[in-house]
């Protein structure tokens, strides 16, 4: 398990995730956002059809973690490590996490 930093327009959360996810964080996040949320029957709860015919997907970093835990790595559950503060405040990443992959949803 390796640490990554995830956020969705708010606080940056450090999570310990399977090594494969940390090594390819952007790919896993984009698969979640761009494909799984829009196409999987398991993601229907995150979709809201709009009058325009478009579909609005509402989710956050915790939903990404649930996706990893339930569908991709059920034998290696992710572990919450620490909230390191609001990304909007331009707070620096603490030294101990500076080399961690980061993704902002």
């Amino acid at each position: 398990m390796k640490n990554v930093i995830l956020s969705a327009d708010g606080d940056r959360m450090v999570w310990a995730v399977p090594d494969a996810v940390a090594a390819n964080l952007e790919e896993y996040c984009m698969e979640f956002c761009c494909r799984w949320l829009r196409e999987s029957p398991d993601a229907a709860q995150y979709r809201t059809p709009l009058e325009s015919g478009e579909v609005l997907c509402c989710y956050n970093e915790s939903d990404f973690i649930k996706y990893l835990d339930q569908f991709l790595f059920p034998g290696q559950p992710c572990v919450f490590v620490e909230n390191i503060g609001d990304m909007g405040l331009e707070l620096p990443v603490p030294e101990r996490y500076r080399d961690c992959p980061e993704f902002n949803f």
Side-chain angles (χ1 to χ4, degrees):
M1 302 288 277
K2 293 190 178 162
N3 290 337
V4 298
I5 302 169
L6 302 172
S7 68
D9 298 330
D11 286 356
R12 296 169 294 177
M13 306 293 180
V14 179
W15 288 87
V17 300
D19 292 356
V21 176
N24 301 287
L25 184 60
E26 184 172 350
E27 289 83 5
Y28 277 94
C29 291
M30 296 305 291
E31 172 69 16
F32 169 74
C33 296
C34 298
R35 189 167 154 263
W36 186 81
L37 282 173
R38 298 179 187 290
E39 298 174 8
S40 174
D42 295 313
Q45 69 203 34
Y46 301 107
R47 296 190 293 262
T48 303
L50 302 176
E51 288 182 23
S52 65
E54 296 289 322
V55 174
L56 176 67
C57 292
C58 294
Y59 58 93
N60 61 30
E61 68 276 359
S62 294
D63 299 316
F64 173 66
I65 295 298
K66 289 177 197 171
Y67 160 74
L68 294 175
D69 287 349
Q70 291 178 357
F71 300 103
L72 299 185
F73 299 93
Q76 298 179 62
C78 300
V79 177
F80 177 72
V81 176
E82 179 178 3
N83 179 335
I84 58 172
D86 191 329
M87 62 184 272
L89 297 177
E90 302 299 327
L91 298 172
V93 173
E95 181 68 35
R96 64 190 171 280
Y97 301 123
R98 290 228 173 106
D99 293 331
C100 294
E102 186 169 355
F103 192 88
N104 300 312
F105 290 95

